[in-house]
Amino acid sequence: MVNAISIDVEDWFCVYNLESIINKSEWGKYEYRADRNIIKILDLFQKYGVKGTFFILGWIADKSPDIIKEIENRGHEIGLHSYLHPLITKSSPDEFTKDVEKGLNAIIKTGIKQDIIGFRAPSFSLTKKTMWALDILRSFNIKYDSSVFPVGFHPDYGIIDAPLSPYSISDNMIEFPMTVAKVFGRRIPCSGGGYFRFYPYWITKKLLKNVNRDKRPAVFYLHPWEIDPGQPRVDLPMFKKFRHYNNLHKTEIRLEKLLKDFKFTTIKNILGF
Ligand SMILES: [Zn+2]
């Protein structure tokens, strides 16, 4: 079975988990490390013949237009991850519309040739309360979303009873929900990111095999900063610190194992666009 792989293209200081410490208006003051981490991922994908979906933050596109074009030149899909990483749950429809428009314009301005049809919400903030965002995305010709986390335990995101396979979430909009395995009737996230860094690799592998055995394609996600143990450290409360810095030095090795053990392609391919 072929799965989807996606990269949420942002730098270490763009993360919601750091928002209480780092003000968005000051992103430009921090050490910019996205380019080299993106190239590392592109090289790894190339080594294993993998094509993936790169959800781009418009702010990064403004900063690194050549890198965005390089992603396209190497055959990958380009999607949108907003402009300034606002959670939809904390935005008004008007604010969301403006951010999406700004993000799309920044990415288009880099000169890429493909149409952008996919969206990933910052911090998976498409929830039951923010379904209004889908109409806005459709008005910008977005055809699929991959932001719903079908779990109920997380304080910031999740739709507890969402389907586990790609489904039609509203008129002319497909949802590819983040991947969870079903173990003894419970939904266990195994989609990537912090979960990938937290579990030993063999657990992720077992859970993803379990998903594929259920005849479901998985969608995996990672951020460029997650393979960068050399990133600057900021002083965070204990739980946030763990969430951001846990096992950064192991992620690149694990990613390489994952690319050997599973087949991956773009989300667009899996959904048949
Ligand atoms: Zn993000």
Side-chain angles (χ1 to χ4, degrees):
M1 171 148 329
V2 184
N3 299 292
I5 193 160
S6 59
I7 303 295
D8 292 353
V9 177
E10 60 197 38
D11 212 343
W12 63 273
F13 46 78
C14 308
V15 179
Y16 175 63
N17 195 37
L18 268 57
E19 222 176 271
S20 57
I21 310 277
I22 295 179
N23 199 302
K24 286 177 196 286
S25 62
E26 297 186 337
W27 281 1
K29 291 185 187 166
Y30 291 91
E31 188 188 338
Y32 187 66
R33 298 171 67 90
D35 290 1
R36 56 181 281 276
N37 295 324
I38 295 166
I39 294 291
K40 258 189 181 180
I41 289 172
L42 289 174
D43 288 348
L44 258 183
F45 279 14
Q46 199 160 331
K47 185 171 169 190
Y48 292 94
V50 168
K51 304 290 183 220
T53 299
F54 287 69
F55 292 107
I56 313 283
L57 206 62
W59 191 86
I60 298 282
D62 273 346
K63 195 103 174 152
S64 304
D66 292 342
I67 293 282
I68 309 305
K69 278 202 286 193
E70 179 67 15
I71 295 172
E72 178 172 80
N73 288 340
R74 297 217 203 172
H76 303 291
E77 179 190 0
I78 305 280
L80 176 69
H81 189 42
S82 82
Y83 184 81
L84 216 53
H85 214 265
L87 267 56
I88 312 177
T89 38
K90 297 189 173 181
S91 307
S92 68
D94 191 45
E95 287 165 338
F96 180 70
T97 305
K98 286 188 177 130
D99 179 83
V100 165
E101 188 169 27
K102 198 172 174 188
L104 284 170
N105 285 340
I107 299 169
I108 292 164
K109 213 170 65 192
T110 65
I112 59 156
K113 295 182 186 76
Q114 62 190 287
D115 292 331
I116 297 166
I117 62 162
F119 178 74
R120 160 122 346 113
S123 300
F124 312 110
S125 55
L126 189 76
T127 65
K128 278 188 177 161
K129 285 183 187 152
T130 56
M131 285 293 143
W132 50 261
L134 294 168
D135 284 339
I136 295 168
L137 289 169
R138 198 176 312 106
S139 74
F140 287 101
N141 294 317
I142 298 294
K143 295 186 167 45
Y144 77 81
D145 173 80
S146 181
S147 314
V148 169
F149 228 121
V151 295
F153 65 83
H154 202 284
D156 296 322
Y157 58 71
I159 298 181
I160 192 167
D161 53 356
L164 303 185
S165 296
Y167 63 102
S168 168
I169 192 167
S170 68
D171 287 345
N172 299 315
M173 185 70 75
I174 304 291
E175 174 64 37
F176 195 159
M178 306 317 293
T179 300
V180 300
K182 273 165 70 185
V183 181
F184 300 119
R186 284 176 191 271
R187 296 177 168 200
I188 312 291
C190 53
S191 228
Y195 304 103
F196 186 56
R197 286 183 288 121
F198 179 62
Y199 305 141
Y201 176 70
W202 67 268
I203 291 192
T204 298
K205 184 175 171 182
K206 216 176 158 94
L207 291 172
L208 287 174
K209 292 267 182 210
N210 167 322
V211 169
N212 285 170
R213 249 197 323 274
D214 274 354
K215 307 251 180 307
R216 289 188 283 129
V219 56
F220 188 83
Y221 75 94
L222 208 64
H223 305 89
W225 57 265
E226 289 186 286
I227 58 158
D228 183 11
Q231 66 190 268
R233 306 281 153 146
V234 292
D235 203 16
L236 290 165
M238 207 160 65
F239 180 64
K240 289 188 175 187
K241 189 186 260 174
F242 176 78
R243 198 146 86 175
H244 193 88
Y245 297 118
N246 180 44
N247 283 338
L248 289 176
H249 61 294
K250 292 186 179 164
T251 315
E252 193 179 342
I253 300 161
R254 286 182 184 173
L255 176 61
E256 188 150 7
K257 283 186 186 158
L258 185 84
L259 298 177
K260 273 187 209 160
D261 287 340
F262 294 89
K263 284 201 179 92
F264 290 105
T265 184
T266 62
I267 295 180
K268 192 157 101 173
N269 271 343
I270 297 272
L271 297 179
F273 286 111

